[in-house]
């Protein structure tokens, strides 16, 4: 292993190493789930720190692992999202009697897979990353000991995921058959399509779209998000998308200049996703399912950004970062409640019980709607601007209307917290660390709305 | 500055009384109110010598107002309007003094006097405004004050309704006037009266519309009889001296620019209204309503005069009518005060013996109304008739109106004062106090002396001496008047008669009832239709959008069957679609 | 003293935070102070001779094209003074709101957003503040409102957001195409007539819902009724005027040819709306509903002035905006005072109150007189300038709108008659000092502006209508 290889693999090594350490630590059954979660968060932060410190540079392993701006940006996003999810998980794990060490280790491994997808320089590595991302997620979905539906969700996820992996692999094979290479760099300047390469790329995109939960590949998401342990849901809602979009952007970047028209197809995916997901969320009574559809809709916005071409990568990264904070935050608030799978009615009286949580939730919901002064507004603005620059006005109109519709369901959730009642009453005090994390996330979102400078600068670095 | 004082004094009085009148007593408020008006009178009188000597006008620009050329706080007084101003202030001051006595024991006296002063200020504004917009300001404020004063006795539902009716009908005219002003602005480029050239027929018609409403002429006259619900001094003020004459003042001031055809139309409308209203007055049994319809009739005569360009005649009759009508109203007020509000003339009678001073004042006014010398009314009506000599149809209407006026004047005097009392309240009447009698007497004297003074040229109303009227006209008029008076006295000296034949006339020929059955219900029906139709539909559309979103939502969620195979199919379908699309491109 | 436009923003922002201090019921004085201070600073800025007073320009978010460009122009300054006054009055009238700290924090947040709209000289910045109004306003109505507040808030929210969504599309489209979002810069760029019409239509989507122009007003009656009285005052008095400002400053300023093309339709709708609102006001039995529909009528009349886009009609729209804000505040306060004495807002609860509460009757009469546009009040000045300004280009609409004065007299006097005339069915205590203290300044301003409308019209200089925007003189 050359120094370049080591540098390229550093964040991965930290994550995987940390996962292994957690597993070993778990054998001793000394630390409780809270401590495990805290350690896991620390590991994730360390990985992120490593990436930040090391910065960009030459690729490692002969181009298999890249260290360009895009890789760095996605690695950071994944690291922070993982850390947040784990920090929130402590109390939840203790309360629901979920095995702590396994949970944390699985999350860290999955995070490694996400990073791998985003930094991968060739298709096989991307595939490996996808699998490394997905397999722990299947297990995580089933980890709640008391609920039977977790098993059902996990099984569905696994079966669908396996089918998708097969599709993805087949696509990779086709591309290899057409070009003779796995490296993404080799795709640059490939002459316009024989059917092989087109089919290959189509299947690859289908596989990635499945992970990102885009319509019509989204059908698993509501069931899975609802039945998984909430911190796991928070984690997968962000990291799975981050990995998928990281890979997607890289593939799009590699094929710029070829005759493959990403714009229309991705735009169509985005449009479908936005329309279906927004309307589906309107009637939802269960909060986790509602947030699941919300995530799907936001994937649509991310796709809108991707559709405009690689020059909009900073917009996608910015959106992902904000979306990450908002999603982990909102799922996190749910995770901090006693009821694992609340309906909207179960939120009544939450304002009286946990006012800080409701304030934070309010910030997140307003941010998800895309209203100022939260960062959510600027994120959507950034994406819209990019889309208009690419002549995708129709898509912007759809996106804007989807935002309006989303206000309906987000506000319904928020206002439910102010209803009189004590459906959300709880004998336990609010978990402290979790509340702190959620509050910090809310403040970050507000700060990003007013002084987004640092985050924007960071996003600008996402070059390919 | 003196000119500004003319308007400023009563305005200041109004503001002062509105703010502090609650702490003052009845007499103090009334004195302040009357005093302010008298200051105004004094200021106008002070300017009279200058104006009469050199003619022209006195100009008083004060301040900017609206950003439209000419629309400033700018006053101008010429000799013509000097007479009007003096009349307004003199009569109003006397009425204010009278009110001190009439409204003894009334609880809202400070708002009464505040409104009264504001009324006078607004009326003066109409007379001395240099531009149409400032005139319109006075115009509408006069309407507002009439609302406040007619509805002064708030507990009476009839008064409340009458006040609203007056204001709304006036507003209809005001709306027409407004559109006329828009046309003036776009056509003439300025609203300064002195700078306005010839106006189009449309503009003239619209402005005339405003005048018709304010002066209660056909077809916008129905508010005036109802306005009798207010206190009698208010009726005197509104219906004798001021408000209703505003339309005439407008026609006098702007008659030049107005189209001749429209002015002639005004004359005809005025004449027809005059005769019609006179006949209605003959059939009234309510003391004040006789006077109300009488006012409509007399103002019609003024319109006739102004319409044919006889400014002097119109002006003369304006002033003379103010005097005799105010006498009549104040006299009527005294009668009401004395008989505890017995308003039905069929139940009055014998007031000459019980309230001789009141009777004297009233009779003086009646003489003016009947146009019998030496009352000024004779001379002013002469002037009008003389002006119509070259339009026989108008002349006939004028003469007929005079005859009928004399007749009902006699009827009224006979029934109320000369016959024997027909009710307890009439028999136990007492003469009111000096505070009420003195103004009445003052007005009566004015009525009797003014005519002679003007006819003899001693007082110059500024618009030319009495036109040389042929003597036969005067003789004919006098003969008609005397005959009519005799007829009235003879017919009614035995008391009230059966007047069922006059039923149609009593109802004002059913015009008010017609409006009540058509215009008002139509308006209400439109409003109701809009509320139940358009508004409800509009609300439902919004709800429909919300419901559509919900159904779309259910449709979207049906994709989530939970069936694994369905999901897989979707997946593959998506991939295939993607592939297909790319292959095609 | 050198005041910058940002100071106007800092004051309510600080007040928002300060409201969270534990001051009990006295926290509303923060709101009053914030409002008055903004009004005072705005007057200072209005007195400066610069076309754009207190201007500040910073590049803020370069990748997004967002610059922080603020400044106060004539119309904006005038409306800022109005907003300061109304927020102060509303805060003073919010004495018995439960949870006063949260209420006042949201109140000052709303004021911050509204202030931002009037100073923003960058399209995106304008939009940020435009959307930022929604959250505090919705929460204020939903959490402190009367029955029906849930559905009313939802409808208001979604209707408004839909309009804003279309607005955003227009903004982003224009900004990306012209490579700048700055309003001052955009004013000097040539835009084809067709593009102007399209952009004007897109921009107007937000404003016609917010004003609201007939027939996009379905949210209005329910929202006005559900909102607590101080919020209704602000909603009707100043938030509706943000739409007026948007129409004049953005649409007429940037797309004059587009507005000229769309004017016949817009002007007709406005004229119809003015009459419609007045006719419906005549049928209502609840004082708040009367005020709501009367406002609809007035706001559509103001819209008529804005859409006619002549210099005179825009001056009229400016005065009428200020006048309506003051008058509607007075009317809502008076309605609340009346309801306090009769037990509810329905007019058939009691009559003949003029006898026992003459001062209440007098001030109510004065407010109604101003509402129906009697000369001497600012209502007349505004109405007349709008109507005469629109008459040249749109005579039919102007005439139809003039008919509104008759209907206005009908509904206004009917309200007074039902409450204060007739035999007294109950007695009521007359206005207390605190109540008078709120009303008298409002009504005094109404009279002042009626006599000296130049205080407002002189500020609406030709530079407000940018060089290629001299549409119809």
């Amino acid at each position: 292993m050359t120094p370049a290889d080591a540098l390229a693999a550093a964040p991965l090594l930290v994550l995987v190493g940390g996962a292994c350490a957690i597993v070993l630590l778990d054998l001793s059954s000394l630390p409780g789930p809270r401590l495990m979660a805290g350690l896991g968060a620390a590991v994730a932060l360390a990985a992120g720190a490593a990436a930040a410190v090391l910065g960009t540079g030459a690729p490692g392993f002969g181009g298999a692992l890249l260290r360009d701006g895009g890789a760095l940006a996605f690695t950071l996003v994944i690291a922070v999202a993982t850390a947040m999810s784990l920090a929130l998980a402590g109390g939840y794990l203790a309360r629901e009697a979920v095995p702590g060490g396994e949970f944390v280790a699985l999350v860290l491994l999955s995070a490694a897979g996400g990073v791998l997808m985003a930094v991968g320089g060739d298709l096989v590595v991307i595939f490996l990353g996808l699998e490394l991302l997905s397999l722990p997620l299947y297990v995580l979905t089933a980890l709640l000991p008391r609920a039977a539906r977790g098993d059902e969700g996990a099984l569905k996820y696994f079966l669908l995921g396996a089918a998708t992996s097969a599709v993805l692999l087949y696509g990779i094979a086709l591309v290899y058959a057409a070009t003779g290479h796995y490296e993404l760099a080799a795709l640059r300047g490939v002459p316009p399509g024989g059917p092989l390469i087109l089919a290959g790329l189509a299947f690859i995109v289908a596989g990635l779209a499945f992970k990102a939960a885009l319509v019509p590949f989204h059908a698993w998401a509501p069931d899975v998000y609802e039945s998984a342990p909430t911190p796991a849901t928070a984690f997968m809602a962000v990291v799975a998308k981050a990995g998928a979009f990281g890979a997607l952007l890289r593939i799009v970047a590699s094929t710029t200049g070829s005759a493959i028209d990403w714009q229309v197809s991705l735009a169509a995916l985005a449009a479908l996703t936005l329309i279906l997901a927004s309307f589906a969320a309107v009637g939802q009574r269960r909060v986790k399912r509602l947030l699941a559809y919300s995530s799907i809709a936001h994937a649509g916005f991310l796709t809108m950004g991707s559709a405009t071409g690689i020059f909009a990568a900073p917009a996608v990264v910015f959106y992902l970062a904000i979306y990450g904070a908002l999603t982990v935050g909102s799922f996190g608030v749910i995770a901090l409640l006693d009821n694992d799978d609340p309906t909207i009615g179960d939120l009544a009286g939450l304002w009286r019980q946990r006012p800080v949580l409701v304030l934070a939730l309010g910030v997140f919901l307003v941010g998800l709607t895309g209203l100022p002064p939260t960062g959510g507004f600027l994120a959507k603005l950034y994406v819209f601007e990019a889309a208009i620059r690419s002549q995708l006005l129709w898509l912007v109109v759809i996106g804007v209307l989807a935002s309006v519709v989303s206000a309906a369901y987000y506000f319904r959730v928020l206002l439910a917290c102010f209803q009189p009642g004590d459906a959300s009453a709880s004998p336990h005090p609010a978990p402290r660390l979790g509340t702190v994390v959620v509050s910090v996330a809310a403040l970050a979102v507000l700060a990003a709305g007013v002084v987004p400078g640092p985050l924007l600068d960071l996003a600008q670095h996402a070059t390919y | 500055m003196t000119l500004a004082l003319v308007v400023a004094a009563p305005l200041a009085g109004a503001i002062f009384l509105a703010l502090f009148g609650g702490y003052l007593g009845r007499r103090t408020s009334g004195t302040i109110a009357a005093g302010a008006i008298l200051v105004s009178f004094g200021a106008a009188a002070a300017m009279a010598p200058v104006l009469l000597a050199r003619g022209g006008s006195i100009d008083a620009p004060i301040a900017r107002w609206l950003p439209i050329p000419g629309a400033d706080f700018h006053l101008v007084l010429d000799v013509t309007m000097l007479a009007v101003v003096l009349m307004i202030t003199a009569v109003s001051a006397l009425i204010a003094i009278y009110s001190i006595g009439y409204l003894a024991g009334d609880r809202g006296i400070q708002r009464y006097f505040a409104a009264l002063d504001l009324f006078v200020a607004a009326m003066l504004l109409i007379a001395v405004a240099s531009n149409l917009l400032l005139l319109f300001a006075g115009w509408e404020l006069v309407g507002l004050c009439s609302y406040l004063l007619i509805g002064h006795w708030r507990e009476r539902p009839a008064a409340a309704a009458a006040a609203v009716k007056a204001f709304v009908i006036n507003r209809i005219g005001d709306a027409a006037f407004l559109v006329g002003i828009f046309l003036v602005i776009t056509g003439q480029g300025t609203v300064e009266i002195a700078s306005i050239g010839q106006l189009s027929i449309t503009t003239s018609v619209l402005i005339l519309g405003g005048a018709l409403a304010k002066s209660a002429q056909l077809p916008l006259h129905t508010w005036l009889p109802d306005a009798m619900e207010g206190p009698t001094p208010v009726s005197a003020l509104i219906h004798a001296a001021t408000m209703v004459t505003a339309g005439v003042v407008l026609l006098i001031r702007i008659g030049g620019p107005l189209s001749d055809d429209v002015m002639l139309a005004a004359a005809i409308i005025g004449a027809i209204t005059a005769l019609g209203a006179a006949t209605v007055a003959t059939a009234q049994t309510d003391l004040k309503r006789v006077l109300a319809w009488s006012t409509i009739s007399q103002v019609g005569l003024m319109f006739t005069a102004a319409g044919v360009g006889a400014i002097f005649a119109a002006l003369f009759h304006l002033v003379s009518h103010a005097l005799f009508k105010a006498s009549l109203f104040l006299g009527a007020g005294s009668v009401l005060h004395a008989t505890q509000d017995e308003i039905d003339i069929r139940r009055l009678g014998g007031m000459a013996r019980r309230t001789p001073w009141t009777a004297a004042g009233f009779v003086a006014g009646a003489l003016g109304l009947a146009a019998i010398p030496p009352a000024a009314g004779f001379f002013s009506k002469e002037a009008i008739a003389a002006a119509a000599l070259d339009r026989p149809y108008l002349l006939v209407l004028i003469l007929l109106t005079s005859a009928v006026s004399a007749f009902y004047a006699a009827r009224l005097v006979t029934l109320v004062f000369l016959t024997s009392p027909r009710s307890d309240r009439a028999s136990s009447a007492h003469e009111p106090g000096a505070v009420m009698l003195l103004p009445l007497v003052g007005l009566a004297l004015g009525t009797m002396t003014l005519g002679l003074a003007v006819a003899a040229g001693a007082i110059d109303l500024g618009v030319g001496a009495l036109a040389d009227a042929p003597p036969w006209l005067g003789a004919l008029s006098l003969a008609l008047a005397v005959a009519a008076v005799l007829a009235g006295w003879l017919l009614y000296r035995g008391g009230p008669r059966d007047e069922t034949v006059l039923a149609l006339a009593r109802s004002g020929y059913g015009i008010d009832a017609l409006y009540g059955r058509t215009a008002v219900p139509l308006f209400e029906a439109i409003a109701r239709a809009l509320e139940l139709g358009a508004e409800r539909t509009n609300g439902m559309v919004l709800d429909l959008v919300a419901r559509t979103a919900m159904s779309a939502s259910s449709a979207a969620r049906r994709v989530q069957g939970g069936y694994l195979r369905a999901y897989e199919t979707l997946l593959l379908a998506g991939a295939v679609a993607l592939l297909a699309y790319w292959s095609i491109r | 003293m050198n005041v910058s436009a940002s100071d106007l923003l800092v004051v309510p922002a600080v007040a928002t935070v300060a409201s969270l201090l534990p001051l009990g019921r006295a926290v509303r004085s923060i709101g009053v102070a914030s409002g008055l201070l903004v009004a005072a600073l705005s007057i200072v800025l209005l007195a400066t001779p610069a076309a754009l007073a207190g201007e500040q320009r910073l590049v803020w978010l370069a990748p997004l094209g967002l610059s922080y460009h603020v400044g106060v122009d004539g119309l904006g300054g005038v409306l800022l003074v109005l907003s300061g006054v109304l927020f102060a009055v509303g805060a003073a009238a919010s004495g018995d709101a439960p949870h006063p700290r949260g209420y006042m924090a949201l109140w000052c947040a709303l004021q911050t957003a509204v202030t931002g709209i009037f100073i923003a000289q960058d399209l995106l910045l304008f939009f940020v503040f435009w959307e930022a109004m929604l959250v505090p306003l919705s929460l204020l109505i939903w959490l402190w409102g009367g029955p029906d507040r849930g559905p009313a808030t939802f409808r208001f929210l979604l209707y408004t957001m839909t309009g804003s969504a279309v607005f955003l599309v227009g903004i982003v489209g224009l900004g990306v195409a012209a490579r700048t979002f700055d309003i001052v810069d955009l004013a000097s760029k040539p835009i084809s007539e067709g593009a102007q019409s399209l952009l004007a239509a897109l921009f107007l989507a937000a404003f016609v819902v917010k004003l609201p122009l007939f027939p996009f007003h379905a949210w209005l009656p329910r929202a006005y009724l559900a909102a607590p009285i101080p919020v209704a005052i602000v909603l009707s008095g100043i938030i509706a005027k943000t739409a007026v400002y948007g129409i004049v400053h953005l649409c007429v300023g940037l797309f004059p040819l587009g507005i000229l093309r769309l004017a016949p339709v817009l002007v007709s709708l406005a004229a119809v709306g003015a009459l419609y609102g007045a006719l419906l006001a005549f049928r209502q039995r609840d004082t708040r509903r009367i005020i709501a529909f009367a406002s609809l009528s007035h706001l559509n009349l103001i819209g008529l002035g804005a859409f006619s886009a002549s210099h005179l009609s825009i001056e009229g729209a400016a005065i009428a905006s200020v006048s309506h804000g003051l008058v509607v505040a007075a009317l809502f306060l008076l309605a609340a005072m009346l309801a306090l004495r009769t037990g509810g807002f329905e007019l058939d609860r009691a009559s003949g109150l003029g006898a026992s509460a003459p001062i209440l009757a007098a001030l109510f009469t004065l407010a109604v007189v101003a509402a129906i546009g009697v000369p001497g009040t600012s209502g007349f000045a505004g109405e007349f300038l709008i109507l005469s300004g629109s008459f040249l280009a749109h005579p039919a609409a102007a005439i139809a709108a003039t008919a509104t004065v008759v209907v206005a007299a009908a509904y206004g006097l009917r309200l007074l008659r039902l409450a204060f005339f007739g035999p007294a069915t109950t007695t009521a205590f007359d206005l207390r000092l605190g109540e008078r203290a709120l009303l008298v300044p409002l009504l005094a301003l109404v009279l002042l502006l009626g006599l000296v409308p130049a205080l407002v019209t002189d500020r609406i200089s030709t530079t407000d209508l940018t060089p290629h925007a001299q549409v119809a003189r």
Side-chain angles (χ1 to χ4, degrees), chain B residues 87-182:
Chain B
M87 177 274 284
I88 293 173
T89 47
V91 175
S92 306
L94 290 173
I95 294 177
I97 297 172
Y98 180 92
S99 304
I100 300 177
Y102 191 84
L103 289 175
D106 193 292
R107 279 180 56 205
I109 200 131
Q110 118 240 20
R111 74 186 149 88
Y112 175 90
F113 281 116
L116 194 136
D117 264 5
L118 183 61
F119 201 124
V120 175
M123 192 65 213
L124 290 170
L125 202 55
I126 297 179
V128 300
S130 80
N131 59 83
L132 279 179
L133 256 156
L134 192 58
L135 190 151
F136 184 80
W139 192 266
E140 279 238 305
L141 281 173
V142 155
L144 173 68
C145 293
S146 75
Y147 161 79
L148 292 173
L149 287 170
I150 295 172
H152 177 74
W153 287 320
R154 288 203 271 234
E155 334 69 67
R156 294 195 195 177
V164 174
K165 184 174 181 178
F167 192 82
V168 173
I169 294 185
N170 265 280
R171 265 264 159 136
I172 297 176
D174 295 347
F177 196 172
L178 268 177
V179 180
I181 296 182
F182 300 153

Side-chain angles (χ1 to χ4, degrees), chain A residues 156 159-160 163 199 202 205 217-219 222-223 261-262 264-265 279-280 282-284 293, chain B residues 549-550 552-553 556-557 560 562 564 567-568 570-572 574-575 578-579 581-583 585:
Chain A
K156 275 191 203 166
L159 290 172
L160 283 171
V205 170
F217 312 98
H218 70 287
D223 297 333
D261 183 4
W262 290 107
V264 177
S265 26
F279 277 106
V282 170
Q284 281 301 330
Y293 279 112
Chain B
M550 289 301 285
S553 169
R557 275 179 290 137
Q560 298 292 125
L564 203 57
Y567 295 0
E568 301 243 17
L570 266 180
L571 220 143
L572 285 170
L578 209 54
L579 172 63
Y581 173 70
W582 282 346
S583 329
R585 303 279 332 275

